[in-house]
Short mmCIF file of all heavy atoms in Angstrom, two decimals:
data_model
loop_
_atom_site.label_atom_id
_atom_site.label_comp_id
_atom_site.label_asym_id
_atom_site.label_seq_id
_atom_site.Cartn_x
_atom_site.Cartn_y
_atom_site.Cartn_z
N GLU A 273 70.52 -41.29 -38.59
CA GLU A 273 70.80 -41.27 -37.15
C GLU A 273 71.43 -39.97 -36.68
O GLU A 273 71.17 -39.52 -35.56
CB GLU A 273 71.64 -42.48 -36.77
CG GLU A 273 70.76 -43.72 -36.71
CD GLU A 273 71.51 -44.96 -36.26
OE1 GLU A 273 71.65 -45.13 -35.04
OE2 GLU A 273 71.95 -45.73 -37.12
N ASP A 277 69.96 -37.75 -33.76
CA ASP A 277 70.75 -37.34 -32.61
C ASP A 277 71.05 -35.85 -32.58
O ASP A 277 71.86 -35.40 -31.77
CB ASP A 277 72.07 -38.14 -32.59
CG ASP A 277 71.83 -39.60 -32.23
OD1 ASP A 277 71.01 -39.85 -31.33
OD2 ASP A 277 72.44 -40.49 -32.86
N GLU A 279 72.63 -33.99 -34.68
CA GLU A 279 74.00 -33.66 -35.07
C GLU A 279 74.08 -32.93 -36.41
O GLU A 279 75.16 -32.60 -36.87
CB GLU A 279 74.86 -34.93 -35.12
CG GLU A 279 74.98 -35.66 -33.79
CD GLU A 279 76.07 -35.07 -32.89
OE1 GLU A 279 76.96 -34.38 -33.42
OE2 GLU A 279 76.02 -35.30 -31.67
N ARG A 304 60.64 -46.02 -36.00
CA ARG A 304 61.18 -47.02 -35.05
C ARG A 304 62.25 -46.41 -34.15
O ARG A 304 62.30 -46.67 -32.94
CB ARG A 304 61.75 -48.22 -35.81
CG ARG A 304 60.68 -49.23 -36.24
CD ARG A 304 61.15 -50.08 -37.42
NE ARG A 304 62.40 -50.83 -37.16
CZ ARG A 304 62.44 -52.04 -36.60
NH1 ARG A 304 61.31 -52.63 -36.25
NH2 ARG A 304 63.58 -52.66 -36.41
N ASP A 311 61.27 -45.16 -25.57
CA ASP A 311 61.30 -46.30 -24.64
C ASP A 311 62.53 -46.23 -23.74
O ASP A 311 62.46 -46.52 -22.54
CB ASP A 311 61.31 -47.62 -25.41
CG ASP A 311 59.91 -47.97 -25.94
OD1 ASP A 311 58.95 -47.27 -25.56
OD2 ASP A 311 59.80 -48.92 -26.73
N ARG A 313 64.54 -43.51 -23.07
CA ARG A 313 64.59 -42.33 -22.19
C ARG A 313 63.54 -42.40 -21.10
O ARG A 313 63.76 -41.95 -19.99
CB ARG A 313 64.46 -41.06 -23.02
CG ARG A 313 65.64 -40.94 -23.98
CD ARG A 313 65.89 -39.54 -24.48
NE ARG A 313 67.19 -39.53 -25.16
CZ ARG A 313 67.82 -38.45 -25.57
NH1 ARG A 313 67.28 -37.27 -25.40
NH2 ARG A 313 69.00 -38.55 -26.16
N GLY A 314 62.40 -42.98 -21.44
CA GLY A 314 61.34 -43.08 -20.45
C GLY A 314 61.48 -44.30 -19.55
O GLY A 314 61.03 -44.30 -18.42
N TYR A 319 69.65 -44.25 -11.71
CA TYR A 319 70.13 -44.47 -10.35
C TYR A 319 70.44 -43.13 -9.71
O TYR A 319 70.98 -42.24 -10.35
CB TYR A 319 71.38 -45.34 -10.37
CG TYR A 319 71.09 -46.73 -10.87
CD1 TYR A 319 71.10 -47.01 -12.24
CD2 TYR A 319 70.77 -47.75 -9.99
CE1 TYR A 319 70.82 -48.28 -12.71
CE2 TYR A 319 70.49 -49.02 -10.45
CZ TYR A 319 70.51 -49.28 -11.81
OH TYR A 319 70.23 -50.54 -12.26
N LYS A 320 70.10 -43.03 -8.43
CA LYS A 320 70.31 -41.76 -7.75
C LYS A 320 71.21 -41.94 -6.54
O LYS A 320 71.08 -42.92 -5.81
CB LYS A 320 68.97 -41.17 -7.30
CG LYS A 320 68.16 -40.64 -8.46
CD LYS A 320 66.95 -39.88 -7.98
CE LYS A 320 66.25 -39.26 -9.18
NZ LYS A 320 64.88 -38.88 -8.87
N ALA A 321 72.07 -40.96 -6.34
CA ALA A 321 72.95 -41.00 -5.18
C ALA A 321 72.13 -40.66 -3.93
O ALA A 321 71.23 -39.84 -3.98
CB ALA A 321 74.06 -39.98 -5.35
N ARG A 328 79.85 -40.51 2.45
CA ARG A 328 81.02 -41.36 2.30
C ARG A 328 82.08 -40.63 1.48
O ARG A 328 83.26 -40.65 1.80
CB ARG A 328 80.59 -42.63 1.58
CG ARG A 328 81.36 -43.86 1.98
CD ARG A 328 80.76 -45.06 1.28
NE ARG A 328 81.64 -45.51 0.23
CZ ARG A 328 81.31 -46.46 -0.65
NH1 ARG A 328 80.13 -47.01 -0.62
NH2 ARG A 328 82.18 -46.83 -1.56
N LEU A 364 78.38 -29.10 -7.40
CA LEU A 364 78.78 -30.11 -8.37
C LEU A 364 77.55 -30.75 -8.99
O LEU A 364 77.55 -31.16 -10.14
CB LEU A 364 79.59 -31.21 -7.68
CG LEU A 364 81.08 -31.00 -7.70
CD1 LEU A 364 81.79 -32.18 -7.07
CD2 LEU A 364 81.59 -30.78 -9.11
N TYR A 371 73.78 -27.74 -18.74
CA TYR A 371 74.66 -28.60 -19.50
C TYR A 371 74.71 -28.22 -20.97
O TYR A 371 75.71 -28.35 -21.64
CB TYR A 371 74.19 -30.04 -19.31
CG TYR A 371 74.58 -30.95 -20.42
CD1 TYR A 371 75.91 -31.28 -20.59
CD2 TYR A 371 73.63 -31.44 -21.30
CE1 TYR A 371 76.27 -32.10 -21.62
CE2 TYR A 371 73.98 -32.25 -22.32
CZ TYR A 371 75.31 -32.58 -22.48
OH TYR A 371 75.66 -33.38 -23.51
N ARG A 374 77.20 -24.70 -23.81
CA ARG A 374 78.63 -24.97 -23.98
C ARG A 374 79.31 -23.70 -24.47
O ARG A 374 78.89 -23.09 -25.41
CB ARG A 374 78.84 -26.09 -25.00
CG ARG A 374 78.26 -27.39 -24.50
CD ARG A 374 78.50 -28.49 -25.51
NE ARG A 374 77.59 -29.57 -25.23
CZ ARG A 374 76.56 -29.89 -26.01
NH1 ARG A 374 76.36 -29.24 -27.13
NH2 ARG A 374 75.77 -30.88 -25.69
N LYS A 387 87.18 -22.04 -11.14
CA LYS A 387 88.06 -23.09 -10.63
C LYS A 387 88.55 -22.80 -9.22
O LYS A 387 88.58 -23.70 -8.37
CB LYS A 387 89.29 -23.22 -11.55
CG LYS A 387 89.27 -24.48 -12.37
CD LYS A 387 90.57 -24.60 -13.11
CE LYS A 387 90.39 -25.48 -14.31
NZ LYS A 387 91.61 -25.58 -15.11
N ARG A 391 87.77 -25.17 -6.15
CA ARG A 391 88.86 -25.72 -5.37
C ARG A 391 88.67 -25.40 -3.88
O ARG A 391 88.83 -26.25 -3.01
CB ARG A 391 90.21 -25.18 -5.87
CG ARG A 391 91.40 -25.78 -5.16
CD ARG A 391 92.70 -25.33 -5.79
NE ARG A 391 92.81 -25.74 -7.18
CZ ARG A 391 93.07 -26.98 -7.56
NH1 ARG A 391 93.23 -27.92 -6.66
NH2 ARG A 391 93.15 -27.27 -8.84
N ASP A 477 78.41 -24.01 -16.24
CA ASP A 477 78.58 -25.34 -15.66
C ASP A 477 77.85 -25.48 -14.33
O ASP A 477 78.34 -26.12 -13.40
CB ASP A 477 80.07 -25.66 -15.46
CG ASP A 477 80.84 -25.49 -16.76
OD1 ASP A 477 80.22 -25.70 -17.82
OD2 ASP A 477 82.03 -25.15 -16.72
N LEU B 40 74.87 -33.81 -10.99
CA LEU B 40 76.11 -34.45 -11.41
C LEU B 40 76.46 -35.72 -10.65
O LEU B 40 76.93 -36.69 -11.24
CB LEU B 40 77.27 -33.47 -11.28
CG LEU B 40 77.52 -32.58 -12.50
CD1 LEU B 40 78.63 -31.60 -12.20
CD2 LEU B 40 77.88 -33.43 -13.72
N ASP B 42 74.42 -37.75 -9.28
CA ASP B 42 73.50 -38.77 -9.80
C ASP B 42 73.97 -39.26 -11.16
O ASP B 42 73.92 -40.45 -11.46
CB ASP B 42 72.08 -38.21 -9.93
CG ASP B 42 71.42 -37.98 -8.58
OD1 ASP B 42 71.98 -38.43 -7.57
OD2 ASP B 42 70.34 -37.36 -8.53
N ARG B 55 75.14 -51.94 -7.76
CA ARG B 55 75.24 -50.67 -7.07
C ARG B 55 76.44 -50.59 -6.12
O ARG B 55 77.04 -49.53 -5.97
CB ARG B 55 73.94 -50.40 -6.29
CG ARG B 55 73.88 -48.99 -5.79
CD ARG B 55 72.54 -48.62 -5.20
NE ARG B 55 72.66 -47.26 -4.69
CZ ARG B 55 71.94 -46.24 -5.14
NH1 ARG B 55 71.07 -46.41 -6.09
NH2 ARG B 55 72.11 -45.04 -4.63
N ASP B 60 81.56 -47.63 -5.12
CA ASP B 60 83.03 -47.58 -4.98
C ASP B 60 83.64 -46.78 -6.12
O ASP B 60 84.56 -45.99 -5.93
CB ASP B 60 83.62 -48.99 -4.98
CG ASP B 60 83.28 -49.75 -3.70
OD1 ASP B 60 82.83 -49.10 -2.74
OD2 ASP B 60 83.46 -50.98 -3.67
N GLN B 63 82.93 -43.03 -5.65
CA GLN B 63 83.76 -42.46 -4.58
C GLN B 63 85.17 -42.21 -5.08
O GLN B 63 85.74 -41.13 -4.91
CB GLN B 63 83.79 -43.41 -3.39
CG GLN B 63 84.61 -42.86 -2.23
CD GLN B 63 84.75 -43.86 -1.11
OE1 GLN B 63 83.82 -44.61 -0.83
NE2 GLN B 63 85.90 -43.87 -0.47
N ASP B 74 92.80 -29.39 -11.76
CA ASP B 74 93.70 -28.55 -12.55
C ASP B 74 93.63 -28.84 -14.03
O ASP B 74 93.90 -28.00 -14.86
CB ASP B 74 95.16 -28.80 -12.11
CG ASP B 74 95.55 -27.77 -11.08
OD1 ASP B 74 94.84 -26.76 -10.98
OD2 ASP B 74 96.55 -27.99 -10.38
N TYR B 76 91.01 -29.82 -15.64
CA TYR B 76 89.71 -29.47 -16.22
C TYR B 76 89.87 -28.17 -16.98
O TYR B 76 90.19 -27.14 -16.41
CB TYR B 76 88.68 -29.33 -15.10
CG TYR B 76 87.40 -28.65 -15.49
CD1 TYR B 76 86.63 -29.12 -16.55
CD2 TYR B 76 86.95 -27.53 -14.80
CE1 TYR B 76 85.46 -28.49 -16.91
CE2 TYR B 76 85.77 -26.90 -15.15
CZ TYR B 76 85.03 -27.39 -16.20
OH TYR B 76 83.87 -26.76 -16.56
N GLY B 79 84.61 -25.62 -20.42
CA GLY B 79 83.58 -26.32 -21.17
C GLY B 79 82.65 -27.00 -20.19
O GLY B 79 82.68 -26.68 -19.00
N GLN B 133 55.07 -48.58 -14.61
CA GLN B 133 56.33 -48.11 -15.19
C GLN B 133 57.32 -49.27 -15.26
O GLN B 133 58.02 -49.44 -16.24
CB GLN B 133 56.87 -46.97 -14.32
CG GLN B 133 58.25 -46.48 -14.68
CD GLN B 133 58.23 -45.78 -16.03
OE1 GLN B 133 57.19 -45.32 -16.48
NE2 GLN B 133 59.37 -45.74 -16.70
N ARG B 158 74.52 -41.57 -24.64
CA ARG B 158 73.69 -40.81 -25.57
C ARG B 158 72.26 -40.63 -25.05
O ARG B 158 71.74 -39.52 -25.04
CB ARG B 158 73.66 -41.53 -26.94
CG ARG B 158 72.80 -40.88 -28.00
CD ARG B 158 73.40 -39.56 -28.49
NE ARG B 158 72.36 -38.74 -29.10
CZ ARG B 158 71.90 -37.59 -28.59
NH1 ARG B 158 72.41 -37.12 -27.49
NH2 ARG B 158 70.96 -36.93 -29.18
N GLU B 159 71.63 -41.70 -24.62
CA GLU B 159 70.19 -41.63 -24.31
C GLU B 159 69.89 -41.24 -22.87
O GLU B 159 68.84 -40.70 -22.58
CB GLU B 159 69.49 -42.95 -24.65
CG GLU B 159 69.66 -43.41 -26.10
CD GLU B 159 68.99 -42.49 -27.13
OE1 GLU B 159 68.42 -41.45 -26.74
OE2 GLU B 159 69.04 -42.81 -28.34
N ASP B 162 72.61 -37.75 -22.47
CA ASP B 162 72.39 -36.77 -23.53
C ASP B 162 73.67 -36.12 -24.04
O ASP B 162 73.71 -34.94 -24.35
CB ASP B 162 71.42 -35.68 -23.03
CG ASP B 162 70.65 -35.05 -24.19
OD1 ASP B 162 70.48 -35.71 -25.23
OD2 ASP B 162 70.24 -33.89 -24.06
N TYR B 165 77.82 -36.56 -30.03
CA TYR B 165 78.82 -37.48 -30.58
C TYR B 165 80.23 -37.07 -30.14
O TYR B 165 81.05 -37.88 -29.78
CB TYR B 165 78.76 -37.48 -32.12
CG TYR B 165 77.53 -38.13 -32.72
CD1 TYR B 165 77.32 -38.07 -34.10
CD2 TYR B 165 76.60 -38.79 -31.93
CE1 TYR B 165 76.20 -38.66 -34.68
CE2 TYR B 165 75.47 -39.37 -32.50
CZ TYR B 165 75.27 -39.30 -33.87
OH TYR B 165 74.17 -39.87 -34.44
N GLU B 167 81.17 -35.30 -27.56
CA GLU B 167 81.42 -35.52 -26.13
C GLU B 167 81.63 -37.01 -25.85
O GLU B 167 82.52 -37.37 -25.06
CB GLU B 167 80.26 -34.97 -25.31
CG GLU B 167 80.24 -33.44 -25.28
CD GLU B 167 78.94 -32.86 -24.75
OE1 GLU B 167 77.89 -33.55 -24.82
OE2 GLU B 167 78.94 -31.71 -24.30
N SER B 184 74.76 -46.95 -33.80
CA SER B 184 73.89 -47.54 -34.79
C SER B 184 73.73 -49.04 -34.55
O SER B 184 72.62 -49.58 -34.53
CB SER B 184 74.48 -47.27 -36.18
OG SER B 184 73.60 -47.72 -37.16
N ARG B 187 71.67 -49.75 -31.40
CA ARG B 187 70.22 -49.59 -31.61
C ARG B 187 69.65 -50.79 -32.35
O ARG B 187 68.56 -51.26 -32.05
CB ARG B 187 69.95 -48.29 -32.39
CG ARG B 187 70.15 -47.07 -31.51
CD ARG B 187 70.08 -45.78 -32.29
NE ARG B 187 70.09 -44.63 -31.38
CZ ARG B 187 70.63 -43.46 -31.66
NH1 ARG B 187 71.22 -43.25 -32.83
NH2 ARG B 187 70.58 -42.48 -30.77
N TYR B 197 59.64 -54.57 -31.53
CA TYR B 197 60.25 -54.01 -32.74
C TYR B 197 60.40 -55.04 -33.85
O TYR B 197 61.06 -54.77 -34.85
CB TYR B 197 61.61 -53.41 -32.42
CG TYR B 197 61.49 -52.18 -31.54
CD1 TYR B 197 61.36 -52.30 -30.17
CD2 TYR B 197 61.45 -50.91 -32.10
CE1 TYR B 197 61.21 -51.19 -29.37
CE2 TYR B 197 61.30 -49.78 -31.32
CZ TYR B 197 61.19 -49.93 -29.93
OH TYR B 197 61.03 -48.84 -29.16
#
Side-chain angles (χ1 to χ4, degrees):
Chain A
E273 283 183 83
D277 289 319
E279 298 277 340
R304 278 158 58 87
D311 282 351
R313 297 201 169 189
Y319 295 86
K320 288 189 175 162
R328 212 176 107 188
L364 268 183
Y371 155 69
R374 296 181 199 110
K387 252 187 203 177
R391 184 174 299 286
D477 306 331
Chain B
L40 272 176
D42 289 350
R55 192 171 177 118
D60 289 347
Q63 181 186 324
D74 266 343
Y76 165 55
Q133 173 68 22
R158 178 71 201 111
E159 304 294 3
D162 207 25
Y165 290 174
E167 288 167 336
S184 185
R187 286 172 172 147
Y197 292 83

